[in-house]
Structures are given as structure tokens and as C-alpha cells.
Amino acid sequence: MSAKPLSLLGRPPSIAALLHRARGPVRTGLLVAVPLVGAAGAILCAGLAWRDVSANRAIAALEAGTDRPVSVDAPPELLLARIRFLVARERFEAAEPLLAALDRTGSADLRGRAQISLANARLRQAFAKLEAGELDPAAPLVGLARQAYRRALTLRPEAWDAKFNLDVASRLVRDFPERGREHGEEMPADPKKIWTDIPGQPRGLP
């Protein structure tokens, strides 16, 4: 008569059942180990809860305009909040390591949002240069904004604001009055001409 095969679908034995079956030193070891495992689990849960609370407080502070230091191993949501805080103040170099960290650990949605924030900040810089008549430094800023918008749209194709602002940036490049320059001659800047054919009210964007 063949042996009955063991079922792999049965319910695993409970801790109480294991303690009942165990004898001698094994039972003593289980009695000691079970409370230790439970205590370790409780400590781990408490640590995770504290980290979440701390991260949420830091995110709220950053969104309110109060700076908070953030390490590269912070939760992705906190990385995004700090990136937004930095790029809004044109502190792009400080944001670079956080952007790299978010690229490693963040979801496509969070990474896309970070790129949109970066692109918006670059485009605001370009607008300021154009309005001041500084055409030469404005051109590379528009290029950087376009690159960031394209990266954002690969991660968040549904981001309509990014599509609109990319179109604005592309029209700015098209309308740069480079054709009016000849042999290095300086051309008087007329910011009003830069805004020609741009839909909506670009002064309010991004």
C-alpha cells in the first residue's frame, strides 16, 4: 500500500498547535522566541509609522514654503516636495541629486511631476529674460524647458498642462528674432513680438 501524499493546500499549523506538539527544549525555545518576534514586529511597525508621520510633516512644511532638509534616501513623495521647493526658487544644482534619487525609486507619475516642475521653472526663467530684453540667455533656458516637458510627457502622457507649455516653449523658439540679426549686429529687443501667436495668456504660465 502506497503512502498517502502530503497535501500542500492544507492550513499551516497555528502557533498554539506548534507549542502543543513541541517538547522539552524545543518548546522552551518557542515560548521565548514568539514574544521576541512579536516585539520586533511592533517596533518595526512603530518605526514605519513614525517615518510616515515625519515625512508628511516635512511635505506639508515644504508646500507651505518652509525649507526642510531631505536626504536622497527619503520616500519618493518627500523627494518630490523638496524638488518642487528648490526649483521654484531656481536652486537647480541642489535639486539634481534629489531628481536622480527620484528617478531610481519613484513611480512614473512622481517622476513626471518632478520634470514638469523643473520645466515650468526653466520656462519662467526664460520669460523673465525675454521681458528684460536678454534674448541670448533666454534661448538655452527655453531649450531646457522643452527637454524637461518631453521627459515629463513620456512618463505622464495625460498631462495636458505639460503639452500646452511645451507648445508655448516651441513657439517661443520659432519666434525668436534671430532672423533680424546680421553679422553680430545687436537687435533692439521687443518682448511684445515674442508673444505673437502664442495661445491663451502665456504671461500667466506656467
Side-chain angles (χ1 to χ4, degrees), residues 68-136:
R68 289 288 186 275
V70 174
S71 65
V72 294
D73 59 350
E77 294 80 5
L78 181 52
L79 289 173
L80 175 60
R82 172 71 167 166
I83 289 167
R84 284 175 165 173
F85 177 91
L86 292 172
V87 300
R89 290 155 180 80
E90 300 183 6
R91 295 168 58 185
F92 299 106
E93 290 185 6
E96 287 178 2
L98 301 182
L99 283 164
L102 186 62
D103 283 340
R104 292 191 298 269
T105 63
S107 65
D109 180 71
L110 294 178
R111 289 154 53 204
R113 291 178 186 277
Q115 289 297 323
I116 290 173
S117 296
L118 178 62
N120 288 347
R122 291 296 192 186
L123 197 54
R124 283 194 296 269
Q125 278 188 314
F127 286 167
K129 296 293 184 183
L130 290 172
E131 290 180 342
E134 301 175 13
L135 303 183
D136 286 337

Side-chain angles (χ1 to χ4, degrees), residues 31-53:
L31 288 171
V32 173
V34 169
L36 291 177
V37 171
I43 293 172
L44 177 60
C45 291
L48 293 175
W50 179 87
R51 185 185 185 190
D52 289 344
V53 170

